[in-house]
Amino acid sequence: MLVRDKISIALVALLLVALVGGAAWWFFSNFERATKESRSQVSPQARKNPLLAADHFLSRSGIRSLSVRGREYLLKMPQESGLLLVSHLGPSLPPQREAALLSWIEEGGHLVITVAQEWDEESESSGNHLLDELGVELVIIDADEFEEETADEAVGENPAENSEKVTAVKFPGVAMPLNIAFTPNRILLDVNEQAEWGGWDEQGYHLLQYVIGRGRVTVLSDNRFLNNNQIGKEDHALLLWLLARDHERAWLLYSSNMPSLLRLLWSSAPQLMAAALVLLWVVVWHLGLTSGPRLTAGVFLRRNLLEHLQAAAAFAWRVDQGQKMFESSRCAIEQEWQRRHPILARLDRKERCEWIGEQTGLSARAVESALYGDYSGEQEFIRISSVLQKLAMRR
């Protein structure tokens, strides 16, 4: 029984092996392994950070990498040495900050910067004191001039192959040259001739490296080849790895814009900012507190214009301003008569009153009393005012 059982088990095992082998043979005979690439939409992080792909590449290469925005690591140097790649160098640092940066480089740090501004002949400056000390000048060749210089080289070649000019960079310690697509019309000049080595083509240098103490400074004519769309082409990723291979840390600064004051305060003193927000909330809450019963809003009716004029006239009369208003009215009426009838300027007062009386049908005495006479009592004031009103209407 035992022998028969063993034989049955062996036959079942052989049958299973045959079935599995046959299924595997059929599968690999009818299917083949293939790789399919599908392009997805760009993530918001990649839109904001052009060095995001370079950051991921260094992290997967065993280098602890961090890509940040701003100039934080230029103003406050990291505690340990590493690769500090600055996409946009920006203006000169304050003298103390620049001295701290140079000290960090001398202790073994590696600074990779890109020249953004062309050399200014008038001010004899590159716009950054560190570049001036290194003796690096950026020359941007005019597009028309560059096309004339490269026209002979492009004859007989495919125009599509010349859309991006690839520079063969001989990196120290690497046998084969690296193909890097630098912007061809941006050229670096090593004025002081202190660079340890450089990558160049027939136009000039595109990369210069300087030794400072135990560290290095690498200057690039442009860093477009490190962007998300270019890092995977040619030998761009390899060049980045060669620059960072001697370090365990890497910081990639992809913008020179300083963060806002609130962001700096929150990153530097979050407890203080939280306490300030709580205090602000308490102040706003306290201002909303009330004491005692609420006052009802009163309804105030606006006075019309006639009431306002009547009130103003009554006030003027109470403070003895009636005489001034009366005299100003007299003077205005007389001046208007003389303006309209220049003949009155050549007559004396009596003749003038007689002439006005003839024109208006009033007596000369009434006209003289209204324009030049005094009044006593309310009735006489009313009579004179009536004559002045007639003179004002008939002038």
Side-chain angles (χ1 to χ4, degrees), residues 242-283:
L242 290 173
L243 293 174
R245 63 179 176 178
D246 296 332
H247 305 283
E248 297 180 356
R249 293 295 308 271
W251 298 271
L252 311 180
L253 310 185
Y254 60 88
S255 175
S256 61
N257 296 330
M258 285 294 294
S260 62
L261 179 60
L262 291 178
R263 186 175 179 180
L264 286 175
L265 290 175
W266 185 262
S267 61
S268 302
Q271 297 84 358
L272 177 62
M273 292 296 295
L277 291 176
V278 173
L279 178 61
L280 178 61
W281 179 85
V282 172
V283 171

Side-chain angles (χ1 to χ4, degrees), residues 67-347:
S67 59
V68 294
R69 180 178 182 178
R71 309 182 74 189
E72 178 181 356
Y73 288 96
L74 276 177
L75 300 177
K76 185 179 180 181
M77 302 310 302
Q79 297 296 328
E80 53 186 319
S81 62
L83 174 74
L84 179 60
L85 189 148
V86 184
S87 179
H88 301 284
L89 183 59
S92 301
L93 295 174
Q96 295 181 350
R97 301 295 184 182
E98 184 173 316
L101 175 61
L102 293 175
S103 176
W104 179 81
I105 296 172
E106 291 175 354
E107 293 176 0
H110 188 174
L111 176 66
V112 179
I113 54 180
T114 303
V115 185
Q117 183 177 337
E118 188 177 10
W119 177 263
D120 190 352
E121 295 292 345
E122 296 182 359
S123 62
E124 296 184 352
S125 173
S126 62
N128 190 280
H129 182 263
L130 178 59
L131 294 175
D132 296 341
E133 290 295 318
L134 294 175
V136 179
E137 298 181 6
L138 173 66
V139 178
I140 301 178
I141 304 176
D142 185 70
D144 297 335
E145 180 182 350
F146 179 77
E147 290 178 359
E148 292 177 359
E149 293 179 358
T150 58
D152 296 336
E153 301 175 7
V155 174
E157 298 180 0
N158 187 357
E161 295 178 357
N162 294 322
S163 59
E164 288 187 358
K165 187 170 181 61
V166 177
T167 301
V169 177
K170 296 181 179 179
F171 199 94
V174 180
M176 297 297 295
L178 308 180
N179 294 325
I180 308 298
F182 287 105
T183 302
N185 65 329
R186 297 174 64 90
I187 306 301
L188 297 178
L189 300 180
D190 183 20
V191 179
N192 299 335
E193 298 183 354
Q194 295 181 355
E196 182 185 29
W197 68 277
W200 58 279
D201 57 14
E202 63 275 5
Q203 300 297 328
Y205 285 104
H206 294 283
L207 182 150
L208 293 170
Q209 190 171 93
Y210 298 86
V211 177
I212 301 179
R214 293 186 290 117
R216 300 177 183 273
V217 176
T218 301
V219 184
L220 305 174
S221 61
D222 71 287
N223 55 17
R224 186 174 58 90
F225 66 93
L226 294 176
N227 291 345
N228 297 329
N229 295 332
Q230 299 290 329
I231 188 68
K233 299 179 181 180
E234 303 296 342
D235 297 324
H236 300 166
L238 178 58
L239 175 60
L240 177 62
W241 180 81
L242 290 173
L243 293 174
R245 63 179 176 178
D246 296 332
H247 305 283
E248 297 180 356
R249 293 295 308 271
W251 298 271
L252 311 180
L253 310 185
Y254 60 88
S255 175
S256 61
N257 296 330
M258 285 294 294
S260 62
L261 179 60
L262 291 178
R263 186 175 179 180
L264 286 175
L265 290 175
W266 185 262
S267 61
S268 302
Q271 297 84 358
L272 177 62
M273 292 296 295
L277 291 176
V278 173
L279 178 61
L280 178 61
W281 179 85
V282 172
V283 171
V284 174
W285 171 78
H286 181 73
L287 293 176
L289 296 178
T290 59
S291 59
R294 294 181 176 272
L295 298 176
T296 57
V299 180
F300 300 96
L301 298 177
R302 298 182 62 183
R303 300 169 61 181
N304 57 34
L305 181 59
L306 182 59
E307 291 180 347
H308 175 73
L309 294 177
Q310 290 177 349
F315 173 78
W317 191 267
R318 285 197 305 270
V319 295
D320 199 19
Q321 295 295 321
Q323 183 65 30
K324 293 183 179 180
M325 290 190 297
F326 181 73
E327 294 296 336
S328 62
S329 299
R330 275 180 167 180
C331 182
I333 292 173
E334 183 183 11
Q335 291 179 357
E336 184 65 19
W337 270 92
Q338 292 184 9
R339 188 184 66 83
R340 291 178 175 269
H341 307 283
I343 192 175
L344 295 176
R346 299 192 298 268
L347 303 177

